Amino acid sequence: MRLRNERWNAGHQRLTRTIHNADAMPTRICWILLSGLLLSHTLQAQPLTANTDARYRERLRAFAFPPRAVRLLDSPFLEAMQRDVAYLFELDPDRLLSRFRRFAGLEPKAPEYGGWESQGISGHTLGHYLSALSMYYAATGDEKARARIDYIVSELAEVQRAHGNGYVGAIPEGDRLWAEIARGEIWQAEPFSLNGAWVPWYTMHKIFQGLIDAYWYGGSEQALEVVTRLADWAYETTKNLTPAQWQQMLRTEHGGMNEALANLYSITGNPKHRELSEKFYHAAVLSPLARGIPNLTGLHANTQIPKVIGVVRQYELIGSDSLRAVAEFFWEEVVQHHTYVIGGNSQNEHFGPRDSLANRLGEGTAETCNTYNMLRLTRHLFALHPEKVRYVDFYERALYNHILASQDPKRGMFTYYMSLRPGHFKTYATPENSFWCCVGTGMENHVKYNEFIYFYNGDTLYVNLFIPSELNWERRALRLRLETAFPESNRVRLDFDPEVPQRLVVKVRHPSWAQDALEVRINGEVQSVTSRPGSYLTLARLWQPGDEVEITLPMRLRVETMPDNPDRFAILYGPIVLAGVFGSRGLPEGGAYAKDQWEFFGWPAPPLPKLCGDLNRVEDWVKPLATGGELRFHTVGVGRPADVLLKPFYEVHHERYTIYWDRCR
């Protein structure tokens, strides 16, 4: 517990002193101290090397708080986290470990799960599971989670000892596969298959990162030992590959191996870890992006996004501007030219032609993994450029309209795709027989809603999201409570409780969707302040115990049209996408739960209305319903053949819906 507290609680001033004195320390001591003081990769205040620290501090201009500093209050986000955690504890670790033990020659303690965990990608879920448990533990200190982390890591250590070479995995025919790779025998490198194995490096990435998270978040020293030996195995397995063989191998999806190894390098300082991270540079995709060439059409979307996260992580540690350029250009390209109104991207997992979205609305629209990874990329870029509020605007949109919308409120299960086919419905995983990639990322999605609400730099506090929460800024001896019923209400209240009065610059996001001025009251008095949409409202003062700030956000109805069809549009209220709902007739009895993610493709949909309203005057024909606080709207006189009921997409479950509408002339 002491080590964990040191890892999360070290203040920025102490960190700076440590870094400045790093050169005077023995190398190993320096690395241990730095890795214990700094925050995790997902917190943006990552461990870093002694010889890059000054540039690192210059590069990162905003830092997240440790998970336990931000506590969620009552809201849909807290409810989603609780459902997710309940599912995490329902799962049997021994079943997730089953194939790890079997392929190491050990007797499994329980049968393997079904779905993907009984197929060639087995083992990927355990990595995500470790990450999710570790994040939850870091946020709450729940010792039940810590006990489960420690058990899983100890089991993986036993598996590693059984292999005898540092390897840990659950990939079928892993011994054969990795022996071939070590010999340079790469006889197949297709997008999803390497020498007959289903994306083995993708699976290894989840195991690597799960172990790193178990160390960073979970405080498991044994996890660091296991992942370090695993990295040694990876280095030895690939050390004789030529550059051409590396690039051939990287044609197969390999997750964020470059990121995981960069993260490990930030902890250990071992140059082999940096070298290996840099070898996972897929030149065919990344080099054109570095030159500003959009080359995404036809590519598998979630294969590419983790590569770019790895590149920006390398930039944070190494400082190459070309790496930063890749990440920034990629983000702009995806968000501006390949993203639907909910913040998700891709159709049937692939990018289409640039700005071609109108005819790509189907059951396979918007893979949830993609959005998980785009949010992770966005957090990195925001830490580099906190003045670019568009990063936060995108994050908010995707968080409410895709991630929050992706969890089943009945059983806590997750969507693979976020179907945008008009009149279709959401399909969820089964608890024990699916284990898709989006189940793994789903486990993580709903335990880390606290990670982006607040950021800081020095005496500046950024309030990014309007999610009910409490911040405990220990270094400042300041508690801040954010209370709101947003988006049902447009009022946000910040209650300040410093132990002593202190000067602080508070920057509250003025969202791009809030086109009118913000109304601000401090202790009940209207303030004369200025801000513009897509910027931060700045409040600088000596904050006293009991100070209260109330902000009124101007929320309006609006439409967004498709870039390639101005007569196909979506309706939003502030950042919230509104869906037309059409009941549950014809849906699977008991709910659309599927072992196969394509199981409900092609189900018939009822005829749907068109809307004939003037898109420039949407408030004339979309009207609120008096519902006692819930966001509900209906169209008036524009539906052909009938008007429709609208509600937030994140509240739509187990019923048919439509997000994009066709305008009738």
Side-chain angles (χ1 to χ4, degrees):
M1 181 64 71
R2 181 188 60 81
L3 180 62
R4 183 178 72 88
N5 289 339
E6 288 181 0
R7 189 171 294 137
W8 295 123
N9 292 330
H12 192 71
Q13 293 177 347
R14 184 182 176 194
L15 165 61
T16 301
R17 291 195 301 270
T18 301
I19 289 171
H20 283 317
N21 294 327
D23 290 339
M25 302 176 189
T27 302
R28 177 59 181 165
I29 296 174
C30 175
W31 282 111
I32 293 173
L33 192 53
L34 286 174
S35 64
L37 287 175
L38 296 170
L39 308 179
S40 85
H41 71 294
T42 58
L43 301 178
Q44 299 298 348
Q46 296 93 335
L48 55 132
T49 66
N51 61 354
T52 63
D53 45 279
R55 288 176 293 165
Y56 181 95
R57 293 200 314 277
E58 292 174 359
R59 288 190 290 274
L60 268 69
R61 295 174 53 215
F63 301 86
F65 290 90
R68 70 187 185 95
V70 183
R71 181 172 67 92
L72 297 180
L73 303 177
D74 288 342
S75 74
F77 294 98
L78 178 60
E79 294 170 2
M81 185 191 78
Q82 292 169 338
R83 285 190 292 266
D84 187 21
V85 171
Y87 175 58
L88 294 178
F89 286 124
E90 286 174 7
L91 291 171
D92 182 352
D94 284 324
R95 296 191 68 182
L96 292 171
L97 287 159
S98 181
R99 281 193 161 194
F100 285 89
R101 292 184 63 86
R102 177 150 67 92
F103 296 148
L106 302 171
E107 184 70 23
K109 297 181 179 180
E112 65 200 37
Y113 279 116
W116 286 16
E117 281 301 310
S118 63
Q119 301 176 36
I121 201 171
S122 55
H124 76 111
T125 305
L126 184 72
H128 287 296
Y129 187 68
L130 261 182
S131 293
L133 283 173
S134 300
M135 293 174 189
Y136 170 67
Y137 172 69
T140 65
D142 187 336
E143 291 298 329
K144 182 180 177 183
R146 175 61 191 267
R148 191 162 288 202
I149 294 165
D150 289 345
Y151 175 75
I152 293 170
V153 171
S154 68
E155 285 289 298
L156 293 179
E158 184 179 356
V159 167
Q160 191 171 63
R161 289 191 295 272
H163 281 288
N165 60 356
Y167 176 67
V168 178
I171 299 167
E173 298 185 47
D175 290 345
R176 184 270 306 168
L177 166 71
W178 299 119
E180 291 176 345
I181 298 300
R183 295 192 297 267
E185 298 172 4
I186 303 175
W187 48 268
Q188 181 199 44
E190 302 298 331
F192 308 116
S193 180
L194 177 64
N195 284 16
W198 184 2
V199 293
W201 283 117
Y202 170 96
T203 300
M204 295 306 301
H205 164 239
K206 314 312 171 195
I207 298 168
F208 267 88
Q209 194 57 56
L211 287 164
I212 292 169
D213 287 339
Y215 168 70
W216 268 340
Y217 291 116
S220 172
E221 296 291 335
Q222 188 177 32
L224 180 59
E225 296 171 2
V226 173
V227 75
T228 301
R229 295 189 185 106
L230 182 60
D232 291 341
W233 163 84
Y235 185 89
E236 290 298 314
T237 299
T238 60
K239 67 180 181 181
N240 293 323
L241 296 182
T242 67
Q245 288 171 326
W246 264 101
Q247 291 304 311
Q248 180 187 11
M249 183 174 68
L250 295 181
R251 292 176 57 192
T252 304
E253 184 178 11
H254 48 274
M257 280 298 304
N258 53 352
E259 179 204 6
L261 289 159
N263 290 334
L264 185 59
Y265 169 63
S266 75
I267 300 168
T268 66
N270 188 330
K272 289 183 178 180
H273 299 158
R274 172 175 170 174
E275 177 189 343
L276 195 54
S277 172
E278 292 175 336
K279 285 182 175 180
F280 277 95
Y281 184 93
H282 189 200
V285 172
L286 298 175
S287 293
L289 292 171
R291 300 192 300 272
I293 300 172
N295 67 335
L296 303 182
T297 302
L299 294 181
H300 184 258
N302 202 47
T303 295
Q304 319 314 323
I305 307 170
K307 300 173 186 175
V308 180
I309 297 171
V311 163
V312 75
R313 183 69 178 108
Q314 291 171 335
Y315 166 75
E316 292 170 356
L317 295 170
I318 300 167
S320 170
D321 286 341
S322 65
L323 297 175
R324 175 181 51 78
V326 168
E328 293 173 351
F329 178 77
F330 178 86
W331 188 94
E332 295 287 348
E333 182 67 16
V334 172
V335 172
Q336 299 301 327
H337 303 288
H338 295 274
T339 295
Y340 300 93
V341 69
I342 63 170
N345 62 71
S346 79
Q347 168 65 7
N348 294 330
E349 305 186 17
H350 290 73
F351 292 123
R354 222 168 171 245
D355 295 317
S356 179
L357 300 176
N359 295 318
R360 291 171 58 82
L361 300 176
E363 297 94 333
T365 308
E367 183 183 357
T368 305
C369 280
N370 298 13
T371 302
Y372 157 88
N373 276 313
M374 284 300 297
L375 292 186
R376 295 184 67 240
L377 175 60
T378 301
R379 292 186 74 247
H380 281 277
L381 293 175
F382 173 80
L384 300 176
H385 304 289
E387 76 282 358
K388 295 183 178 181
V389 176
R390 65 178 180 272
Y391 290 137
V392 190
D393 285 339
F394 168 77
Y395 195 102
E396 176 185 61
R397 173 182 295 225
L399 193 72
Y400 278 90
N401 301 304
H402 194 162
I403 299 304
L404 185 61
S406 69
Q407 187 197 57
D408 169 34
K410 289 184 178 181
R411 303 170 69 180
M413 294 295 100
F414 319 105
T415 63
Y416 191 121
Y417 303 111
M418 190 59 73
S419 173
L420 296 184
R421 177 189 168 197
H424 202 247
F425 48 89
K426 297 175 183 177
T427 299
Y428 307 98
T430 64
E432 297 187 359
N433 290 296
S434 300
F435 293 104
W436 314 316
C437 51
C438 299
V439 172
T441 56
M443 293 177 182
E444 296 183 39
N445 278 333
H446 307 287
V447 295
K448 57 178 185 161
Y449 284 125
N450 62 342
E451 70 176 3
F452 198 63
I453 303 171
Y454 310 100
F455 268 63
Y456 76 96
N457 190 358
D459 63 354
T460 298
L461 174 67
Y462 294 89
V463 181
N464 289 332
L465 301 174
F466 310 118
I467 295 177
S469 53
E470 187 172 83
L471 169 67
N472 181 13
W473 195 348
E474 290 189 358
R475 183 170 62 87
R476 290 252 170 203
L478 169 71
R479 288 186 179 272
L480 173 67
R481 188 177 179 92
L482 189 161
E483 293 189 341
T484 183
F486 180 88
E488 286 79 10
S489 169
N490 65 346
R491 294 179 180 264
V492 177
R493 194 178 78 207
L494 302 173
D495 293 327
F496 290 81
D497 186 23
E499 289 187 8
V500 296
Q502 56 180 283
R503 294 197 176 277
L504 190 69
V505 179
V506 178
K507 290 182 173 288
V508 181
R509 179 173 59 103
H510 185 159
S512 299
W513 47 261
Q515 288 298 305
D516 299 326
L518 305 181
E519 180 185 295
V520 181
R521 296 175 183 268
I522 298 181
N523 300 329
E525 296 184 5
V526 177
Q527 304 296 301
S528 178
V529 296
T530 59
S531 62
R532 56 179 176 78
S535 70
Y536 282 98
L537 166 71
T538 299
L539 303 173
R541 58 184 274 128
L542 181 68
W543 297 94
Q544 307 276 353
D547 278 349
E548 179 185 293
V549 177
E550 187 175 276
I551 299 169
T552 301
L553 301 163
M555 297 182 67
R556 294 181 179 270
L557 288 159
R558 56 196 175 93
V559 302
E560 288 189 8
T561 60
M562 287 290 204
D564 50 337
N565 184 350
D567 289 323
R568 183 161 286 178
F569 63 94
I571 304 170
L572 299 94
Y573 180 66
I576 306 302
V577 174
L578 300 177
V581 291
F582 301 99
S584 59
R585 185 176 180 181
L587 266 62
E589 186 175 352
Y593 300 99
K595 178 180 179 180
D596 187 317
Q597 65 269 31
W598 304 291
E599 184 171 338
F600 298 112
F601 278 35
W603 274 50
L608 299 173
K610 295 183 178 181
L611 302 181
C612 304
D614 183 347
L615 301 189
N616 295 314
R617 301 174 62 90
V618 64
E619 290 182 335
D620 288 348
W621 49 273
V622 176
K623 300 295 184 180
L625 291 171
T627 59
E630 292 182 320
L631 282 182
R632 297 291 185 271
F633 300 85
H634 66 136
T635 63
V636 180
V638 296
R640 304 290 186 271
D643 284 307
V644 297
L645 172 68
L646 301 166
K647 67 181 184 180
F649 183 52
Y650 68 78
E651 294 183 5
V652 176
H653 299 279
H654 303 286
E655 59 184 326
R656 297 183 181 274
Y657 59 83
T658 289
I659 284 178
Y660 281 105
W661 305 90
D662 287 327
R663 180 169 61 146
C664 47
R665 295 286 187 173

